[in-house]
Amino acid sequence: MDKFQDWDNPLYSNIETFKANRNGVEISRHGEGALSMKIAVIGANGQLGSDLVAAFYENGNVACALTHSDIEISDLHSVSHALEDLRPHVVVNTAAMHHIENCEREPEKAFAVNALGPRNLAIVARDLVRF
Ligand SMILES: NC(=O)c1ccc[n+]([C@@H]2O[C@H](COP(=O)([O-])OP(=O)(O)OC[C@H]3O[C@@H](n4cnc5c(N)ncnc54)[C@H](OP(=O)(O)O)[C@@H]3O)[C@@H](O)[C@H]2O)c1
């Protein structure tokens, strides 16, 4: 069996090794017969993101852990650059500016991260859909 399988098929069943894009954390998983999806987790070293990466991995999926140094969600170019090579089946965003005091001190930044960021992810994710 080929070492590298067809990542465009969300139902393919045997993962040998997956290398995330040049910035992503590499996570490998071996298994026969397990259904698997390639899931990009943004904010992967945050409290929620790190738990999700572990949970997805434990459930047999390929978790591509993207940290703030890999992607800036308020920047459409950065989002596009990070996700287009990766071409995940699912994108989970946990990146946020959530401390109220910081949001009040820097409302423009809060808007960019909490509103424009998800918008940028939606735009790029829409363009990745290929079923
Ligand atoms: N933790 C919980 O129990 C919980 C429960 C329910 C809902 N939530 C929600 O889930 C979200 C995440 O919470 P959390 O507790 O996991 O927060 P967190 O620990 O602060 O994690 C947020 C992550 O997002 C990254 N990030 C921030 N701004 C970014 C940007 N512009 N581009 C890319 N990455 C960015 C941060 O990286 P840097 O630190 O390097 O900037 C950090 O790794 C929040 O909306 C929160 O309200 C959390």
Side-chain angles (χ1 to χ4, degrees), residues 80-127:
S80 174
H81 180 71
L83 293 183
E84 280 181 357
D85 282 350
L86 211 53
R87 301 194 74 80
H89 301 120
V90 176
V91 177
V92 177
N93 178 43
T94 70
M97 188 170 165
H98 55 83
H99 290 110
I100 303 296
E101 294 81 8
N102 292 343
C103 293
E104 288 179 344
R105 195 179 310 119
E106 299 181 275
E108 290 181 1
K109 182 179 177 187
F111 183 80
V113 175
N114 295 336
L116 297 181
R119 174 182 176 273
N120 291 337
L121 290 166
I123 289 169
V124 174
R126 177 194 60 193
D127 293 341

Side-chain angles (χ1 to χ4, degrees), residues 4 9 11 16 31 34 37 39 63 65 75-76 92 94 102 104-106 125:
F4 296 98
N9 180 354
L11 298 178
E16 188 65 29
M37 290 191 296
I39 303 173
D75 177 358
L76 182 59
V92 177
T94 70
N102 292 343
E104 288 179 344
R105 195 179 310 119
E106 299 181 275

Side-chain angles (χ1 to χ4, degrees), residues 2 6 8 13 16-17 23 34 41 45 57 75 77-80 82 84 86-87 100 102 127 129 131:
D2 284 343
D6 176 16
D8 287 340
S13 62
E16 188 65 29
T17 295
N23 296 321
V41 179
N45 56 346
Y57 181 63
D75 177 358
H77 179 74
S78 171
V79 172
S80 174
E84 280 181 357
L86 211 53
R87 301 194 74 80
I100 303 296
N102 292 343
D127 293 341
V129 172
F131 294 106

Side-chain angles (χ1 to χ4, degrees), residues 42-49 67-69 71-74 93-99 113:
I42 298 167
N45 56 346
Q47 189 177 349
L48 180 59
T67 70
H68 205 166
S69 61
I71 186 169
E72 170 51 64
I73 63 168
S74 64
N93 178 43
T94 70
M97 188 170 165
H98 55 83
H99 290 110
V113 175

